Amino acid sequence: MLRWLPLRTTLVIGALAAVALVGLTLGLLQMVSMNARELAMVRSQADAAVLSSKIDSLPPRLSAEEREAEILTMIAARAQEATDGGRCDSGERARALFLYRMADGSVSGTPQLAWPGGTGEVHFRVPAGTACQRAATTAVGVVEDLGGGRQFLSARIYSSDPRLVMRAYLLAAGVAVAFVVLASLLAWGLMRGWRNRLDRFNALLDRADRSGFSERAEEDEGQPEFRLLAHHLNALLGRSEDMIEGMRRLHRHVAHDLRGPVMVARRHLEALGAKTPDEPLIADTDAKLVTVDKRCRMLLGIIDAEVSRRTEGDVVDPGARIRQLIDDMFVYLGDDKDLEFALEAEPAAVRVASDLFDRMIENILGNAVKFATPESTIRCSVTQDGDQIRVAVENDGPGIDEGKIERIFEPGYSSGGADSHGLGLAFVRTVSLRAGGNVQAFNRVNGFGIEISLPAVKEDAGA
């Protein structure tokens, strides 16, 4: 089940587990500390009981001075014993502390330890160096009242060894880091497996257009989520295949139904023209049919570009193709306005069907010639920007309102008058998108331009 968890969920679980473990470790340290305190109190009470018993068992015949000397001897002996005679050899950390306070307020017993004050159970700090302690620590004990202003203290140090505490903290930190690393490795493994599966899906979608949406994803994935995704993806590919095939059939029917009647009508007009020479109505009608035929061809060209599988296309040198089109066609079309053509082209290669590329450039150059100012220059350029090849055509004609500039690529939209069918730039956008690129129009100072961007073909791919 963990293999199906999302990456962020896995990281959160690992982080929460690490926090829980750290909390558990700190809680255990607290419990150990509390148990150590309770144990130290029990031991100090036992020490106090033993010392009280020995003091009570002193012979009654002893004078006050002798009794005081005996108590001081017992206190000193126990304080000395608690530190292994001052050698601090024992590893026991809960060392015993003993003090005796005489009637005059003077204190004797464990060296460097001040009288804590209070009666009954007491809790006080023990300075570093006291009773073999390397660092300041804490002790608990009991204060017994012997009467006459005399008291003795029996206490035990209960704080853990600082080295043990540090090791416990390091252990908690190490386990937390281990949990985070383990969660990260688990997430990395999951991410790698998911990435491989997603890469296969993406590769399938990249090939879908070229294969006519006929390929399908494998649905025997181990994870139910990927199996369900593959099922839905296959259903989408199947519907897309049916739609594309339906568009192809529609394209064939439309091509026949649109162009057939136009050709028949023109033949009838030719027959009528032979019988009635110089009839202006027949010539006018034939001109209108020519316009209709041109519009049908352009519309069919857009449909053909949309449903075509020729996404692999040819490796085309944009600069060479534009130069050939200018020399073969547009240098003559520009004579009426006395136009000049300038081309600056970097070496480049794009992958697109060559006939579609030519028609696309013809449409752009045709618009540039149509709207160019007489005796001006139409500037063409081919540049490479990273992995994109940019083909731009600019003229010195009128610009377009910024609010309508994107609409010029919509089928049927035209700003060129009654003789314009509004399909030329729509065809440009269709071919550009089908080749993996895009097209945009822009106003410039005293002019207008259109730029096509297409993916560059790498040298090894074009070889």
Side-chain angles (χ1 to χ4, degrees):
M1 182 176 181
L2 287 176
R3 296 174 59 203
W4 305 336
L5 293 177
L7 173 60
R8 284 182 293 184
T9 303
T10 305
L11 291 177
V12 169
I13 291 176
L16 291 178
V19 171
L21 186 62
V22 171
L24 177 62
T25 304
L26 296 179
L28 289 174
L29 286 174
Q30 184 66 22
M31 291 177 60
V32 170
S33 178
M34 292 178 62
N35 290 335
R37 177 178 177 177
E38 293 176 359
L39 180 61
M41 178 60 73
V42 170
R43 288 182 175 181
S44 63
Q45 289 173 344
D47 292 339
V50 171
L51 186 56
S52 294
S53 175
K54 288 186 175 295
I55 292 174
D56 292 339
S57 65
L58 290 175
R61 66 176 183 276
L62 294 177
S63 64
E65 291 77 7
E66 292 173 338
R67 187 181 181 85
E68 192 92 346
E70 288 291 335
I71 294 175
L72 288 174
T73 301
M74 287 188 287
I75 294 290
R78 280 166 171 75
Q80 186 76 0
E81 180 182 359
T83 59
D84 304 322
R87 294 189 303 273
C88 300
D89 294 334
S90 173
E92 173 66 52
R93 305 310 303 174
R95 294 185 180 277
L97 304 175
F98 294 94
L99 288 179
Y100 179 65
R101 185 179 184 182
M102 291 173 282
D104 59 0
S106 58
V107 177
S108 179
T110 301
Q112 302 181 9
L113 184 64
W115 185 261
T119 58
E121 295 184 0
V122 292
H123 181 278
F124 56 95
R125 294 287 296 171
V126 177
T130 303
C132 302
Q133 295 301 305
R134 297 178 180 175
T137 184
T138 309
V140 292
V142 291
V143 175
E144 294 288 343
D145 191 358
L146 299 179
R150 296 173 301 157
Q151 295 174 310
F152 77 84
L153 166 71
S154 173
R156 288 273 181 161
I157 294 172
Y158 75 88
S159 62
S160 304
D161 187 338
R163 291 175 296 180
L164 296 178
V165 174
M166 180 60 67
R167 290 172 183 172
Y169 283 124
L170 291 176
L171 175 63
V175 173
V177 170
F179 263 81
V180 172
V181 171
L182 181 62
S184 300
L185 291 175
L186 176 61
W188 178 80
L190 289 172
M191 181 179 64
R192 186 176 182 183
W194 294 341
R195 180 65 181 270
N196 291 336
R197 291 174 175 85
L198 291 177
D199 285 344
R200 291 204 296 269
F201 289 145
N202 289 329
L204 174 63
L205 292 175
D206 288 338
R207 298 191 304 269
D209 197 27
R210 298 191 295 271
S211 64
F213 299 90
S214 59
E215 290 190 55
R216 298 292 182 268
E218 297 181 3
E219 296 189 19
D220 59 347
E221 295 283 352
Q223 286 86 347
E225 291 83 355
F226 284 104
R227 186 163 58 248
L228 183 61
L229 177 60
H231 175 73
H232 288 309
L233 181 60
N234 288 338
L236 178 62
L237 290 172
R239 288 194 295 271
S240 299
E241 183 180 19
D242 293 339
M243 291 175 61
I244 293 297
E245 187 58 36
M247 290 180 65
R248 291 194 183 99
R249 290 193 298 268
L250 178 62
H251 174 256
R252 291 193 295 269
H253 294 319
V254 169
H256 179 270
D257 293 342
L258 282 180
R259 297 184 61 191
V262 173
M263 296 298 295
V264 171
R266 292 198 66 192
R267 289 196 184 97
H268 284 298
L269 287 175
E270 289 174 359
L272 289 174
K275 295 179 180 180
T276 312
D278 301 326
E279 174 59 45
L281 182 60
I282 294 177
D284 184 58
T285 304
D286 185 62
K288 292 184 182 300
L289 285 176
V290 170
T291 301
V292 171
D293 184 58
K294 183 178 179 181
R295 181 163 186 156
C296 290
R297 289 176 182 271
M298 186 61 69
L299 183 59
L300 292 173
I302 294 176
I303 298 175
D304 182 55
E306 287 284 3
V307 301
S308 174
R309 294 185 184 179
R310 295 182 296 176
T311 54
E312 286 294 339
D314 311 307
V315 177
V316 173
D317 182 347
R321 304 294 293 193
I322 294 173
R323 170 55 63 191
Q324 184 174 352
L325 288 171
I326 291 174
D327 292 342
D328 292 348
M329 182 185 307
F330 287 94
V331 70
Y332 306 107
L333 294 178
D335 285 345
D336 293 340
K337 292 186 176 182
D338 196 17
L339 299 176
E340 296 289 338
F341 290 86
L343 173 62
E344 295 183 4
E346 297 179 6
V350 296
R351 190 177 295 280
V352 61
S354 57
D355 57 334
L356 296 182
F357 181 83
D358 288 350
R359 290 168 62 186
M360 178 171 61
I361 298 301
E362 287 175 11
N363 292 343
I364 296 176
L365 286 174
N367 272 9
V369 170
K370 183 176 181 179
F371 294 103
T373 303
E375 300 182 1
S376 63
T377 300
I378 295 177
R379 288 166 295 278
C380 306
S381 64
V382 177
T383 57
Q384 182 160 357
D385 182 10
D387 59 351
Q388 294 289 310
I389 301 299
R390 304 193 183 279
V391 179
V393 176
E394 302 176 1
N395 64 13
D396 294 334
I400 296 178
D401 185 274
E402 291 292 340
K404 300 179 180 180
I405 199 167
E406 289 298 325
R407 295 195 59 195
I408 65 174
F409 298 106
E410 297 177 3
Y413 181 84
S414 174
S415 60
D419 60 338
S420 180
H421 44 68
L423 296 174
L425 293 182
F427 177 82
V428 172
R429 183 176 66 174
T430 298
V431 175
S432 300
L433 293 177
R434 291 286 288 171
N438 205 346
V439 62
Q440 63 176 347
F442 54 91
N443 289 314
R444 50 183 297 273
V445 178
N446 298 324
F448 183 73
I450 292 178
E451 180 182 85
I452 301 170
S453 61
L454 296 172
V457 175
K458 297 180 181 179
E459 293 183 2
D460 56 350

